[in-house]
Amino acid sequence: MTGWVAVAGLGPGAEALVTPEVQAALAEATDVVGYIPYVARVVPRAGLVLHPSDNRVELERARLALDLAARGRRVVVVSSGDPGVFAMASALFEALEGRGETPEIRILPGITAMLAAAARIGAPLGHDFCAINLSDNLKPWALIEKRLRLAAEADFAMAFYNPRSKSRPEGFARALQILRECCGPERPICFARAVSTPDEAIRTVTLAEARPEMADMRSVVILGNSATRRVGPWVYTPRSAP
Amino acid sequence: MTGWVAVAGLGPGAEALVTPEVQAALAEATDVVGYIPYVARVVPRAGLVLHPSDNRVELERARLALDLAARGRRVVVVSSGDPGVFAMASALFEALEGRGETPEIRILPGITAMLAAAARIGAPLGHDFCAINLSDNLKPWALIEKRLRLAAEADFAMAFYNPRSKSRPEGFARALQILRECCGPERPICFARAVSTPDEAIRTVTLAEARPEMADMRSVVILGNSATRRVGPWVYTPRSAP
C-alpha cells in the first residue's frame, strides 16, 4: 500500500459546504488526524482510525501524519475552513523540512471562514481585501498593529481570524481602538459567529458601537472599506473604488 | 411560486470543487444567469432556462436576475470561484439599490481561485495576506500602485486576480516592477493558470525571473511574504512571522 497525506478543508461547519473532493479523500482514508472538534466532524466507519489531538500541537500532528503515510497509511489531516488559511497546510510543510523521503501530499481546498461569513453578510469583501490573524501566539503584537494601520491606509476591507480567545482577552480591544483611529467611527464591522452551524449569529454595527465581547473563539470579523454600504439587511462593498 | 435569487460560486473549474449547496440550488433553479463560460458549466435540463451574457455587463445581468425573481422564477447567478471575491455578489447588491420589493437572496460561497491555486502550490497564503484585483476597469491605476506598496510594507503575502488581459497589457508589467522594488529580486512568485481544469499549469519563479507573459486572463498570481520558502516541489509561508 502506498501512503499519502491529504490536508483537507472541511469548510465552516455545514455538510453542504464540504466539497466532493474532500468527501472522496475521507472515503479512501485509513487515518484522520486533526484538532479534536474537527475530527469529531468526520463520520466514523470500520477501518478508519481517528487521531484527535489538542490545540497548539500543529507540528506534532503534522509529523504524525507524515509518519503514518511513511508506513503506508492513507492519512487525511482535517482543518476547519480552508487548510491554507491559518490552518494545517503550512504546519505540514514546516514538518516536512529536513525529512528524507516524502509521501504523496495533496492540499484540498475548502470554504474558508471569511468567505462563508461574507456570503451571509452580503458582499463585504467585494473589493480588494486582506486577511489578518489577530492571534499573537506566533507573531509579535507590534506586527499586528503595523499591519492594521497599513491595511487601513490601503483602504482594504479586512477579515480578522482568531479575533479573541480566553488567553488573549486584550488584543482585540486594542485592535478595535486602532481601527477606530484609522477608519473613523462610522465604518461597518460585521461579527460572524459559527457560520453555517446551528449556533450561527451575524451582527453588523459601526466601529463606534463595536465591543470586544462581540467576538469570541468561534468568530470571524469583517471590516468594510471606506465605500462599504448597507442595502436592506445586507452589507456590501462596491466593485468600484470610492 | 415564490421567486428567489442565489448567487453561487462554481469554484475554479472541477466538478469535485463545487459544493453540494450550490448543486442543490442549481437542481431547484428555473433560470441560470451569468457570463457565457460559467453558464456553459451548468448541465442543461428540461425546464431550466439558461441566460448567458457577455463580460462587463454585470449590472444588467444582476437586474435580469432580480426581474426574473420578481416574476416568481428561481434564479441562480453563477460566478466562477467565490461570488463574493471580485465576482457577481457585489453587482447584485448594487443593482438592488433603489428597487422597491426585494426577492429572497442567498449568496452561496465557493472555492475562490487564490485558494485553489494556493492548494496546488503548497501553502503560500499560510500567514496574513491580501487579495488585489489588478484590473483598472473599475479603479484608478494609482490606487493599485498604492495598495501594492502598502501591502509590501505590511509584508503581506499577496494574491492577484485579473493580472493581465488583452485590453490591459501594460499594468502587470508595472506591477511586477513595483514589487521588485519593494520586495527584492529573490521573492517567490507563483503563476497558477486554469487550476483544476485540464489546462492547469503551475509555475514558481523569483521576482527577478518573472515576466508579464507568464500570466493571462485565466491566471491567478501569488506572491510570497519575506519568509516564504520552498520545500521540495512546494512553496509555503510559515505560520510564524519572520
Side-chain angles (χ1 to χ4, degrees), chain A residues 16 18 20-21 84 90 94 97 128-129 131 133 139 147 154 229 236-237, chain B residues 16 18 20-21 90 94 97 125 128-129 131 133 139 147 154 229 236-237 239:
Chain A
V18 182
E21 183 180 66
S90 282
E94 287 176 47
E97 299 262 10
D128 301 336
F129 67 93
N133 188 338
K139 64 185 162 191
R147 286 182 175 158
R229 352 176 349 106
Y236 80 98
T237 300
Chain B
V18 182
E21 183 179 66
S90 282
E94 287 175 48
E97 300 262 9
L125 303 176
D128 301 335
F129 66 94
N133 189 337
K139 64 186 161 189
R147 285 181 175 159
R229 347 177 354 105
Y236 80 99
T237 299
R239 298 165 302 142

PDB file of all heavy atoms in Angstrom, chain A residues 16 18 20-21 84 90 94 97 128-129 131 133 139 147 154 229 236-237, chain B residues 16 18 20-21 90 94 97 125 128-129 131 133 139 147 154 229 236-237 239:
ATOM      1  N   ALA A  16     -23.136  20.643   3.741  1.00  0.00           N
ATOM      2  CA  ALA A  16     -23.391  21.101   2.369  1.00  0.00           C
ATOM      3  C   ALA A  16     -22.282  21.996   1.836  1.00  0.00           C
ATOM      4  O   ALA A  16     -22.274  22.334   0.657  1.00  0.00           O
ATOM      5  CB  ALA A  16     -24.731  21.840   2.303  1.00  0.00           C
ATOM      6  N   VAL A  18     -18.986  21.068   2.340  1.00  0.00           N
ATOM      7  CA  VAL A  18     -17.803  20.210   2.179  1.00  0.00           C
ATOM      8  C   VAL A  18     -17.734  19.789   0.709  1.00  0.00           C
ATOM      9  O   VAL A  18     -18.719  19.283   0.157  1.00  0.00           O
ATOM     10  CB  VAL A  18     -17.883  18.966   3.083  1.00  0.00           C
ATOM     11  CG1 VAL A  18     -16.618  18.122   2.932  1.00  0.00           C
ATOM     12  CG2 VAL A  18     -18.090  19.363   4.534  1.00  0.00           C
ATOM     13  N   PRO A  20     -17.000  17.703  -2.747  1.00  0.00           N
ATOM     14  CA  PRO A  20     -16.918  16.274  -3.090  1.00  0.00           C
ATOM     15  C   PRO A  20     -15.474  15.761  -3.066  1.00  0.00           C
ATOM     16  O   PRO A  20     -15.240  14.597  -2.709  1.00  0.00           O
ATOM     17  CB  PRO A  20     -17.502  16.226  -4.510  1.00  0.00           C
ATOM     18  CG  PRO A  20     -18.410  17.414  -4.592  1.00  0.00           C
ATOM     19  CD  PRO A  20     -17.760  18.483  -3.742  1.00  0.00           C
ATOM     20  N   GLU A  21     -14.520  16.600  -3.428  1.00  0.00           N
ATOM     21  CA  GLU A  21     -13.109  16.178  -3.395  1.00  0.00           C
ATOM     22  C   GLU A  21     -12.691  15.768  -1.980  1.00  0.00           C
ATOM     23  O   GLU A  21     -12.006  14.744  -1.793  1.00  0.00           O
ATOM     24  CB  GLU A  21     -12.216  17.330  -3.899  1.00  0.00           C
ATOM     25  CG  GLU A  21     -10.741  16.972  -3.986  1.00  0.00           C
ATOM     26  CD  GLU A  21      -9.892  18.126  -4.483  1.00  0.00           C
ATOM     27  OE1 GLU A  21      -9.787  19.156  -3.784  1.00  0.00           O
ATOM     28  OE2 GLU A  21      -9.328  18.004  -5.585  1.00  0.00           O
ATOM     29  N   GLY A  84      -5.211  26.098   3.861  1.00  0.00           N
ATOM     30  CA  GLY A  84      -4.127  27.024   3.574  1.00  0.00           C
ATOM     31  C   GLY A  84      -4.267  28.381   4.239  1.00  0.00           C
ATOM     32  O   GLY A  84      -3.388  29.233   4.097  1.00  0.00           O
ATOM     33  N   SER A  90       0.401  24.883   6.191  1.00  0.00           N
ATOM     34  CA  SER A  90       1.744  25.408   6.486  1.00  0.00           C
ATOM     35  C   SER A  90       2.465  24.537   7.496  1.00  0.00           C
ATOM     36  O   SER A  90       3.664  24.278   7.349  1.00  0.00           O
ATOM     37  CB  SER A  90       1.658  26.846   7.025  1.00  0.00           C
ATOM     38  OG  SER A  90       1.442  27.742   5.972  1.00  0.00           O
ATOM     39  N   GLU A  94       6.132  22.799   7.146  1.00  0.00           N
ATOM     40  CA  GLU A  94       7.187  23.025   8.148  1.00  0.00           C
ATOM     41  C   GLU A  94       7.712  21.685   8.661  1.00  0.00           C
ATOM     42  O   GLU A  94       8.927  21.492   8.807  1.00  0.00           O
ATOM     43  CB  GLU A  94       6.643  23.851   9.327  1.00  0.00           C
ATOM     44  CG  GLU A  94       6.406  25.312   8.974  1.00  0.00           C
ATOM     45  CD  GLU A  94       5.773  26.096  10.126  1.00  0.00           C
ATOM     46  OE1 GLU A  94       6.227  25.999  11.282  1.00  0.00           O
ATOM     47  OE2 GLU A  94       4.794  26.830   9.865  1.00  0.00           O
ATOM     48  N   GLU A  97      10.310  19.865   6.419  1.00  0.00           N
ATOM     49  CA  GLU A  97      11.686  20.374   6.298  1.00  0.00           C
ATOM     50  C   GLU A  97      12.651  19.381   6.938  1.00  0.00           C
ATOM     51  O   GLU A  97      12.481  18.970   8.085  1.00  0.00           O
ATOM     52  CB  GLU A  97      11.816  21.735   7.001  1.00  0.00           C
ATOM     53  CG  GLU A  97      10.934  22.813   6.427  1.00  0.00           C
ATOM     54  CD  GLU A  97      11.690  23.728   5.448  1.00  0.00           C
ATOM     55  OE1 GLU A  97      12.838  23.410   5.085  1.00  0.00           O
ATOM     56  OE2 GLU A  97      11.094  24.758   5.060  1.00  0.00           O
ATOM     57  N   ASP A 128     -10.802  44.849  -3.154  1.00  0.00           N
ATOM     58  CA  ASP A 128      -9.525  44.401  -2.574  1.00  0.00           C
ATOM     59  C   ASP A 128      -9.636  44.265  -1.052  1.00  0.00           C
ATOM     60  O   ASP A 128     -10.227  45.123  -0.382  1.00  0.00           O
ATOM     61  CB  ASP A 128      -8.428  45.415  -2.913  1.00  0.00           C
ATOM     62  CG  ASP A 128      -8.252  45.600  -4.416  1.00  0.00           C
ATOM     63  OD1 ASP A 128      -8.612  44.683  -5.192  1.00  0.00           O
ATOM     64  OD2 ASP A 128      -7.751  46.667  -4.812  1.00  0.00           O
ATOM     65  N   PHE A 129      -9.037  43.223  -0.515  1.00  0.00           N
ATOM     66  CA  PHE A 129      -9.169  42.985   0.928  1.00  0.00           C
ATOM     67  C   PHE A 129      -7.947  42.257   1.463  1.00  0.00           C
ATOM     68  O   PHE A 129      -7.134  41.741   0.697  1.00  0.00           O
ATOM     69  CB  PHE A 129     -10.450  42.194   1.237  1.00  0.00           C
ATOM     70  CG  PHE A 129     -10.457  40.780   0.711  1.00  0.00           C
ATOM     71  CD1 PHE A 129     -10.043  39.714   1.504  1.00  0.00           C
ATOM     72  CD2 PHE A 129     -10.887  40.514  -0.585  1.00  0.00           C
ATOM     73  CE1 PHE A 129     -10.050  38.408   1.020  1.00  0.00           C
ATOM     74  CE2 PHE A 129     -10.898  39.211  -1.086  1.00  0.00           C
ATOM     75  CZ  PHE A 129     -10.484  38.157  -0.282  1.00  0.00           C
ATOM     76  N   ALA A 131      -6.581  39.532   4.869  1.00  0.00           N
ATOM     77  CA  ALA A 131      -6.939  38.611   5.948  1.00  0.00           C
ATOM     78  C   ALA A 131      -5.809  38.638   6.968  1.00  0.00           C
ATOM     79  O   ALA A 131      -4.650  38.408   6.625  1.00  0.00           O
ATOM     80  CB  ALA A 131      -7.124  37.197   5.395  1.00  0.00           C
ATOM     81  N   ASN A 133      -4.596  37.397  10.923  1.00  0.00           N
ATOM     82  CA  ASN A 133      -4.807  36.580  12.115  1.00  0.00           C
ATOM     83  C   ASN A 133      -4.464  37.452  13.319  1.00  0.00           C
ATOM     84  O   ASN A 133      -3.329  37.930  13.438  1.00  0.00           O
ATOM     85  CB  ASN A 133      -3.878  35.355  12.026  1.00  0.00           C
ATOM     86  CG  ASN A 133      -4.155  34.343  13.116  1.00  0.00           C
ATOM     87  OD1 ASN A 133      -4.723  34.677  14.156  1.00  0.00           O
ATOM     88  ND2 ASN A 133      -3.761  33.105  12.880  1.00  0.00           N
ATOM     89  N   LYS A 139       3.334  35.576  16.341  1.00  0.00           N
ATOM     90  CA  LYS A 139       3.970  36.809  15.826  1.00  0.00           C
ATOM     91  C   LYS A 139       3.836  37.883  16.891  1.00  0.00           C
ATOM     92  O   LYS A 139       2.918  37.850  17.714  1.00  0.00           O
ATOM     93  CB  LYS A 139       3.319  37.241  14.508  1.00  0.00           C
ATOM     94  CG  LYS A 139       1.859  37.630  14.592  1.00  0.00           C
ATOM     95  CD  LYS A 139       1.259  37.935  13.223  1.00  0.00           C
ATOM     96  CE  LYS A 139      -0.255  37.878  13.305  1.00  0.00           C
ATOM     97  NZ  LYS A 139      -0.927  37.899  12.026  1.00  0.00           N
ATOM     98  N   ARG A 147       0.354  46.062  10.663  1.00  0.00           N
ATOM     99  CA  ARG A 147      -0.464  45.607   9.525  1.00  0.00           C
ATOM    100  C   ARG A 147      -1.844  46.242   9.528  1.00  0.00           C
ATOM    101  O   ARG A 147      -2.386  46.589   8.469  1.00  0.00           O
ATOM    102  CB  ARG A 147      -0.556  44.074   9.528  1.00  0.00           C
ATOM    103  CG  ARG A 147       0.749  43.467   9.064  1.00  0.00           C
ATOM    104  CD  ARG A 147       0.747  41.955   8.997  1.00  0.00           C
ATOM    105  NE  ARG A 147       2.024  41.529   8.420  1.00  0.00           N
ATOM    106  CZ  ARG A 147       2.571  40.332   8.563  1.00  0.00           C
ATOM    107  NH1 ARG A 147       1.959  39.391   9.262  1.00  0.00           N
ATOM    108  NH2 ARG A 147       3.730  40.055   8.006  1.00  0.00           N
ATOM    109  N   ALA A 154      -4.265  51.533   3.097  1.00  0.00           N
ATOM    110  CA  ALA A 154      -4.514  50.997   1.755  1.00  0.00           C
ATOM    111  C   ALA A 154      -6.008  50.928   1.444  1.00  0.00           C
ATOM    112  O   ALA A 154      -6.394  50.608   0.321  1.00  0.00           O
ATOM    113  CB  ALA A 154      -3.887  49.606   1.627  1.00  0.00           C
ATOM    114  N   ARG A 229     -21.260  49.715   2.172  1.00  0.00           N
ATOM    115  CA  ARG A 229     -22.576  50.286   2.442  1.00  0.00           C
ATOM    116  C   ARG A 229     -23.576  49.206   2.810  1.00  0.00           C
ATOM    117  O   ARG A 229     -23.333  48.025   2.593  1.00  0.00           O
ATOM    118  CB  ARG A 229     -23.142  51.042   1.242  1.00  0.00           C
ATOM    119  CG  ARG A 229     -22.277  51.258   0.088  1.00  0.00           C
ATOM    120  CD  ARG A 229     -22.852  51.929  -1.124  1.00  0.00           C
ATOM    121  NE  ARG A 229     -24.268  52.099  -1.191  1.00  0.00           N
ATOM    122  CZ  ARG A 229     -24.896  53.278  -1.025  1.00  0.00           C
ATOM    123  NH1 ARG A 229     -24.193  54.366  -0.817  1.00  0.00           N
ATOM    124  NH2 ARG A 229     -26.208  53.348  -1.101  1.00  0.00           N
ATOM    125  N   TYR A 236     -22.460  45.450   1.712  1.00  0.00           N
ATOM    126  CA  TYR A 236     -21.614  45.100   0.565  1.00  0.00           C
ATOM    127  C   TYR A 236     -20.607  46.201   0.267  1.00  0.00           C
ATOM    128  O   TYR A 236     -20.803  47.362   0.629  1.00  0.00           O
ATOM    129  CB  TYR A 236     -22.467  44.797  -0.674  1.00  0.00           C
ATOM    130  CG  TYR A 236     -22.963  45.997  -1.430  1.00  0.00           C
ATOM    131  CD1 TYR A 236     -22.305  46.448  -2.564  1.00  0.00           C
ATOM    132  CD2 TYR A 236     -24.087  46.697  -1.002  1.00  0.00           C
ATOM    133  CE1 TYR A 236     -22.754  47.571  -3.270  1.00  0.00           C
ATOM    134  CE2 TYR A 236     -24.543  47.808  -1.691  1.00  0.00           C
ATOM    135  CZ  TYR A 236     -23.874  48.233  -2.818  1.00  0.00           C
ATOM    136  OH  TYR A 236     -24.316  49.346  -3.496  1.00  0.00           O
ATOM    137  N   THR A 237     -19.540  45.782  -0.378  1.00  0.00           N
ATOM    138  CA  THR A 237     -18.501  46.702  -0.815  1.00  0.00           C
ATOM    139  C   THR A 237     -18.578  46.788  -2.324  1.00  0.00           C
ATOM    140  O   THR A 237     -18.460  45.767  -3.009  1.00  0.00           O
ATOM    141  CB  THR A 237     -17.122  46.190  -0.350  1.00  0.00           C
ATOM    142  OG1 THR A 237     -17.131  46.103   1.081  1.00  0.00           O
ATOM    143  CG2 THR A 237     -16.009  47.122  -0.798  1.00  0.00           C
TER     144      THR A 237
ATOM    145  N   ALA B  16     -15.540  18.433  -8.795  1.00  0.00           N
ATOM    146  CA  ALA B  16     -15.278  17.964  -7.424  1.00  0.00           C
ATOM    147  C   ALA B  16     -15.070  19.117  -6.449  1.00  0.00           C
ATOM    148  O   ALA B  16     -14.992  18.891  -5.235  1.00  0.00           O
ATOM    149  CB  ALA B  16     -14.064  17.036  -7.400  1.00  0.00           C
ATOM    150  N   VAL B  18     -17.195  21.835  -6.555  1.00  0.00           N
ATOM    151  CA  VAL B  18     -18.487  22.522  -6.423  1.00  0.00           C
ATOM    152  C   VAL B  18     -19.174  21.994  -5.165  1.00  0.00           C
ATOM    153  O   VAL B  18     -19.315  20.781  -4.992  1.00  0.00           O
ATOM    154  CB  VAL B  18     -19.381  22.271  -7.651  1.00  0.00           C
ATOM    155  CG1 VAL B  18     -20.704  23.038  -7.520  1.00  0.00           C
ATOM    156  CG2 VAL B  18     -18.657  22.662  -8.935  1.00  0.00           C
ATOM    157  N   PRO B  20     -21.999  20.870  -2.419  1.00  0.00           N
ATOM    158  CA  PRO B  20     -23.367  20.324  -2.501  1.00  0.00           C
ATOM    159  C   PRO B  20     -24.429  21.416  -2.391  1.00  0.00           C
ATOM    160  O   PRO B  20     -25.488  21.304  -3.015  1.00  0.00           O
ATOM    161  CB  PRO B  20     -23.434  19.367  -1.302  1.00  0.00           C
ATOM    162  CG  PRO B  20     -22.012  18.968  -1.045  1.00  0.00           C
ATOM    163  CD  PRO B  20     -21.181  20.179  -1.400  1.00  0.00           C
ATOM    164  N   GLU B  21     -24.159  22.478  -1.631  1.00  0.00           N
ATOM    165  CA  GLU B  21     -25.129  23.565  -1.507  1.00  0.00           C
ATOM    166  C   GLU B  21     -25.405  24.205  -2.870  1.00  0.00           C
ATOM    167  O   GLU B  21     -26.560  24.495  -3.214  1.00  0.00           O
ATOM    168  CB  GLU B  21     -24.592  24.622  -0.526  1.00  0.00           C
ATOM    169  CG  GLU B  21     -25.541  25.762  -0.274  1.00  0.00           C
ATOM    170  CD  GLU B  21     -24.973  26.779   0.716  1.00  0.00           C
ATOM    171  OE1 GLU B  21     -23.962  27.464   0.394  1.00  0.00           O
ATOM    172  OE2 GLU B  21     -25.543  26.913   1.803  1.00  0.00           O
ATOM    173  N   SER B  90     -21.348  41.487  -5.324  1.00  0.00           N
ATOM    174  CA  SER B  90     -21.398  42.950  -5.177  1.00  0.00           C
ATOM    175  C   SER B  90     -22.285  43.581  -6.239  1.00  0.00           C
ATOM    176  O   SER B  90     -23.060  44.504  -5.946  1.00  0.00           O
ATOM    177  CB  SER B  90     -19.996  43.558  -5.277  1.00  0.00           C
ATOM    178  OG  SER B  90     -19.305  43.385  -4.066  1.00  0.00           O
ATOM    179  N   GLU B  94     -25.462  46.087  -5.731  1.00  0.00           N
ATOM    180  CA  GLU B  94     -25.514  47.396  -6.405  1.00  0.00           C
ATOM    181  C   GLU B  94     -26.830  47.531  -7.169  1.00  0.00           C
ATOM    182  O   GLU B  94     -27.485  48.582  -7.139  1.00  0.00           O
ATOM    183  CB  GLU B  94     -24.331  47.562  -7.363  1.00  0.00           C
ATOM    184  CG  GLU B  94     -23.013  47.798  -6.659  1.00  0.00           C
ATOM    185  CD  GLU B  94     -21.825  47.849  -7.615  1.00  0.00           C
ATOM    186  OE1 GLU B  94     -21.902  48.547  -8.642  1.00  0.00           O
ATOM    187  OE2 GLU B  94     -20.827  47.174  -7.339  1.00  0.00           O
ATOM    188  N   GLU B  97     -29.972  48.488  -5.094  1.00  0.00           N
ATOM    189  CA  GLU B  97     -30.142  49.862  -4.568  1.00  0.00           C
ATOM    190  C   GLU B  97     -31.309  50.547  -5.279  1.00  0.00           C
ATOM    191  O   GLU B  97     -31.366  50.573  -6.508  1.00  0.00           O
ATOM    192  CB  GLU B  97     -28.865  50.686  -4.798  1.00  0.00           C
ATOM    193  CG  GLU B  97     -27.633  50.141  -4.133  1.00  0.00           C
ATOM    194  CD  GLU B  97     -27.318  50.834  -2.804  1.00  0.00           C
ATOM    195  OE1 GLU B  97     -28.172  51.621  -2.325  1.00  0.00           O
ATOM    196  OE2 GLU B  97     -26.239  50.555  -2.263  1.00  0.00           O
ATOM    197  N   LEU B 125      -0.223  31.187   1.116  1.00  0.00           N
ATOM    198  CA  LEU B 125      -1.032  32.167   1.853  1.00  0.00           C
ATOM    199  C   LEU B 125      -1.194  31.740   3.310  1.00  0.00           C
ATOM    200  O   LEU B 125      -2.195  32.040   3.946  1.00  0.00           O
ATOM    201  CB  LEU B 125      -2.398  32.344   1.171  1.00  0.00           C
ATOM    202  CG  LEU B 125      -2.345  32.773  -0.306  1.00  0.00           C
ATOM    203  CD1 LEU B 125      -3.750  32.818  -0.907  1.00  0.00           C
ATOM    204  CD2 LEU B 125      -1.663  34.129  -0.451  1.00  0.00           C
ATOM    205  N   ASP B 128      -0.705  36.054   7.190  1.00  0.00           N
ATOM    206  CA  ASP B 128      -1.538  37.191   6.767  1.00  0.00           C
ATOM    207  C   ASP B 128      -1.314  37.501   5.284  1.00  0.00           C
ATOM    208  O   ASP B 128      -0.185  37.481   4.805  1.00  0.00           O
ATOM    209  CB  ASP B 128      -1.179  38.432   7.596  1.00  0.00           C
ATOM    210  CG  ASP B 128      -1.383  38.215   9.092  1.00  0.00           C
ATOM    211  OD1 ASP B 128      -2.197  37.360   9.473  1.00  0.00           O
ATOM    212  OD2 ASP B 128      -0.711  38.910   9.871  1.00  0.00           O
ATOM    213  N   PHE B 129      -2.404  37.811   4.583  1.00  0.00           N
ATOM    214  CA  PHE B 129      -2.278  38.038   3.140  1.00  0.00           C
ATOM    215  C   PHE B 129      -3.346  39.019   2.656  1.00  0.00           C
ATOM    216  O   PHE B 129      -4.291  39.333   3.384  1.00  0.00           O
ATOM    217  CB  PHE B 129      -2.378  36.719   2.364  1.00  0.00           C
ATOM    218  CG  PHE B 129      -3.715  36.041   2.440  1.00  0.00           C
ATOM    219  CD1 PHE B 129      -4.685  36.243   1.467  1.00  0.00           C
ATOM    220  CD2 PHE B 129      -4.014  35.184   3.497  1.00  0.00           C
ATOM    221  CE1 PHE B 129      -5.931  35.611   1.532  1.00  0.00           C
ATOM    222  CE2 PHE B 129      -5.254  34.548   3.575  1.00  0.00           C
ATOM    223  CZ  PHE B 129      -6.207  34.771   2.595  1.00  0.00           C
ATOM    224  N   ALA B 131      -5.674  40.235  -1.084  1.00  0.00           N
ATOM    225  CA  ALA B 131      -6.135  39.907  -2.432  1.00  0.00           C
ATOM    226  C   ALA B 131      -6.402  41.204  -3.163  1.00  0.00           C
ATOM    227  O   ALA B 131      -7.158  42.050  -2.676  1.00  0.00           O
ATOM    228  CB  ALA B 131      -7.413  39.069  -2.361  1.00  0.00           C
ATOM    229  N   ASN B 133      -7.260  42.996  -6.979  1.00  0.00           N
ATOM    230  CA  ASN B 133      -7.661  42.879  -8.380  1.00  0.00           C
ATOM    231  C   ASN B 133      -6.807  43.854  -9.189  1.00  0.00           C
ATOM    232  O   ASN B 133      -6.846  45.057  -8.933  1.00  0.00           O
ATOM    233  CB  ASN B 133      -9.155  43.233  -8.487  1.00  0.00           C
ATOM    234  CG  ASN B 133      -9.729  42.932  -9.856  1.00  0.00           C
ATOM    235  OD1 ASN B 133      -8.993  42.856 -10.842  1.00  0.00           O
ATOM    236  ND2 ASN B 133     -11.036  42.760  -9.909  1.00  0.00           N
ATOM    237  N   LYS B 139     -11.203  50.957 -11.082  1.00  0.00           N
ATOM    238  CA  LYS B 139     -10.488  51.807 -10.115  1.00  0.00           C
ATOM    239  C   LYS B 139      -9.279  52.402 -10.810  1.00  0.00           C
ATOM    240  O   LYS B 139      -8.761  51.827 -11.767  1.00  0.00           O
ATOM    241  CB  LYS B 139     -10.085  51.012  -8.867  1.00  0.00           C
ATOM    242  CG  LYS B 139      -9.099  49.893  -9.120  1.00  0.00           C
ATOM    243  CD  LYS B 139      -8.852  49.059  -7.861  1.00  0.00           C
ATOM    244  CE  LYS B 139      -8.251  47.723  -8.257  1.00  0.00           C
ATOM    245  NZ  LYS B 139      -8.154  46.756  -7.180  1.00  0.00           N
ATOM    246  N   ARG B 147      -1.749  50.430  -3.236  1.00  0.00           N
ATOM    247  CA  ARG B 147      -2.025  49.211  -2.464  1.00  0.00           C
ATOM    248  C   ARG B 147      -0.872  48.219  -2.544  1.00  0.00           C
ATOM    249  O   ARG B 147      -0.544  47.551  -1.566  1.00  0.00           O
ATOM    250  CB  ARG B 147      -3.345  48.584  -2.937  1.00  0.00           C
ATOM    251  CG  ARG B 147      -4.528  49.380  -2.428  1.00  0.00           C
ATOM    252  CD  ARG B 147      -5.881  48.814  -2.829  1.00  0.00           C
ATOM    253  NE  ARG B 147      -6.900  49.620  -2.162  1.00  0.00           N
ATOM    254  CZ  ARG B 147      -8.172  49.712  -2.535  1.00  0.00           C
ATOM    255  NH1 ARG B 147      -8.612  49.031  -3.586  1.00  0.00           N
ATOM    256  NH2 ARG B 147      -9.021  50.468  -1.863  1.00  0.00           N
ATOM    257  N   ALA B 154       3.599  46.106   4.575  1.00  0.00           N
ATOM    258  CA  ALA B 154       2.967  45.293   5.627  1.00  0.00           C
ATOM    259  C   ALA B 154       3.482  43.852   5.609  1.00  0.00           C
ATOM    260  O   ALA B 154       3.164  43.071   6.500  1.00  0.00           O
ATOM    261  CB  ALA B 154       1.449  45.307   5.446  1.00  0.00           C
ATOM    262  N   ARG B 229       9.078  30.149   1.649  1.00  0.00           N
ATOM    263  CA  ARG B 229      10.199  29.271   1.323  1.00  0.00           C
ATOM    264  C   ARG B 229       9.729  28.113   0.451  1.00  0.00           C
ATOM    265  O   ARG B 229       8.546  27.839   0.330  1.00  0.00           O
ATOM    266  CB  ARG B 229      10.857  28.654   2.564  1.00  0.00           C
ATOM    267  CG  ARG B 229      10.498  29.234   3.845  1.00  0.00           C
ATOM    268  CD  ARG B 229      11.091  28.583   5.081  1.00  0.00           C
ATOM    269  NE  ARG B 229      11.837  27.391   4.905  1.00  0.00           N
ATOM    270  CZ  ARG B 229      13.182  27.305   4.969  1.00  0.00           C
ATOM    271  NH1 ARG B 229      13.860  28.399   5.244  1.00  0.00           N
ATOM    272  NH2 ARG B 229      13.798  26.160   4.774  1.00  0.00           N
ATOM    273  N   TYR B 236       5.734  27.413   0.574  1.00  0.00           N
ATOM    274  CA  TYR B 236       4.841  27.690   1.704  1.00  0.00           C
ATOM    275  C   TYR B 236       5.331  28.887   2.499  1.00  0.00           C
ATOM    276  O   TYR B 236       6.517  29.243   2.479  1.00  0.00           O
ATOM    277  CB  TYR B 236       4.690  26.462   2.612  1.00  0.00           C
ATOM    278  CG  TYR B 236       5.824  26.234   3.575  1.00  0.00           C
ATOM    279  CD1 TYR B 236       5.724  26.645   4.904  1.00  0.00           C
ATOM    280  CD2 TYR B 236       6.995  25.625   3.162  1.00  0.00           C
ATOM    281  CE1 TYR B 236       6.762  26.445   5.800  1.00  0.00           C
ATOM    282  CE2 TYR B 236       8.040  25.421   4.045  1.00  0.00           C
ATOM    283  CZ  TYR B 236       7.923  25.828   5.367  1.00  0.00           C
ATOM    284  OH  TYR B 236       8.965  25.644   6.237  1.00  0.00           O
ATOM    285  N   THR B 237       4.377  29.509   3.194  1.00  0.00           N
ATOM    286  CA  THR B 237       4.662  30.626   4.070  1.00  0.00           C
ATOM    287  C   THR B 237       4.482  30.129   5.502  1.00  0.00           C
ATOM    288  O   THR B 237       3.401  29.669   5.863  1.00  0.00           O
ATOM    289  CB  THR B 237       3.699  31.797   3.760  1.00  0.00           C
ATOM    290  OG1 THR B 237       3.916  32.184   2.391  1.00  0.00           O
ATOM    291  CG2 THR B 237       3.968  32.980   4.662  1.00  0.00           C
ATOM    292  N   ARG B 239       3.876  29.715   9.486  1.00  0.00           N
ATOM    293  CA  ARG B 239       2.834  30.300  10.334  1.00  0.00           C
ATOM    294  C   ARG B 239       3.394  31.406  11.234  1.00  0.00           C
ATOM    295  O   ARG B 239       2.671  32.275  11.691  1.00  0.00           O
ATOM    296  CB  ARG B 239       2.195  29.218  11.194  1.00  0.00           C
ATOM    297  CG  ARG B 239       1.514  28.132  10.379  1.00  0.00           C
ATOM    298  CD  ARG B 239       1.238  26.925  11.251  1.00  0.00           C
ATOM    299  NE  ARG B 239       2.485  26.436  11.834  1.00  0.00           N
ATOM    300  CZ  ARG B 239       2.621  25.970  13.058  1.00  0.00           C
ATOM    301  NH1 ARG B 239       1.569  25.881  13.834  1.00  0.00           N
ATOM    302  NH2 ARG B 239       3.792  25.585  13.510  1.00  0.00           N
TER     303      ARG B 239
END
